[in-house]
Amino acid sequence: MEPKRVLVVLFEGFNTMDMNGPYEVFRMADNRNAFTVTITAEMEVTRSFEGVQVKRDIALDHNLLGLLGDFDVLVVPGGPTHLVELHAAKMGDFMKLIAAFNKLALEDNTVPKTLLSICTGALFLGYMGIFNGRKCTTHRGAYRSLQKVNMDAAAGQDVAGQVIQARYVDAGSNEYGTRIISSGGVSCGLDASLYVVEIYDGIETAYGVADILDYKWRNTEGFVVAQ
């Protein structure tokens, strides 16, 4: 089987572990030829909130939007809420990438697509109404922010996304066929990413990765909507 391709999109001020947690999980699964991981960003080098500088693998620009069909999973890290809100308001290529991937499965249904937000990265999805009519989660300190964003995105209609307390939430596939998964704060991204590994490559691979990482996978603390 061909390895599944994971795209991680960064913005200035992202949380280091929001990126590194999923990156580590998918790279360890890559030892079993299950996943490859690619980093994209608008700048050649992107600085995290903690000061770590990460060099991109591929530029985040209009050309990448035409190549999204090559990827199976999009990971959207979070960061301090005010920086996330500032970046979301720009509505640049970063947001266009998420919006395009959200609808990608409708055009390319050969392999199921998964959109995974980590921590406050859920706010990016909330701004675009991706959680409308669905359950979701984020860092516990951002529950109110995400609920407000969801309500604003619903524009007064009774479809605002519902924020719940969970390590991760699998909200099922949207109207385009893309699976929407959100994780709680920081370390919850490990649990959510292991869950994605389970979806694509089975629970034995997921447990194998958790064992390599010497991590106790809290898979029973996620919320999965019946498919």
Side-chain angles (χ1 to χ4, degrees), residues 82-101:
H82 70 284
L83 294 180
V84 171
E85 293 174 341
L86 182 65
H87 203 75
K90 296 178 181 178
M91 291 305 295
D93 286 336
F94 181 94
M95 296 293 278
K96 291 177 183 177
L97 179 79
I98 298 172
F101 192 90

Side-chain angles (χ1 to χ4, degrees), residues 7 64-72 96-97 100-101 104 113:
L7 183 65
L64 177 58
L65 298 181
L67 300 174
L68 279 183
D70 294 341
F71 297 95
D72 307 298
K96 291 177 183 177
L97 179 79
F101 192 90
L104 192 61
K113 307 293 183 182

Side-chain angles (χ1 to χ4, degrees), residues 164-195:
I164 65 173
Q165 182 176 352
R167 297 288 289 179
Y168 59 87
V169 174
D170 178 354
S173 297
N174 64 14
E175 62 271 34
Y176 306 105
T178 300
R179 186 186 293 252
I180 307 299
I181 301 176
S182 53
S183 87
V186 195
S187 67
C188 300
L190 290 166
D191 299 304
S193 298
L194 287 166
Y195 175 68

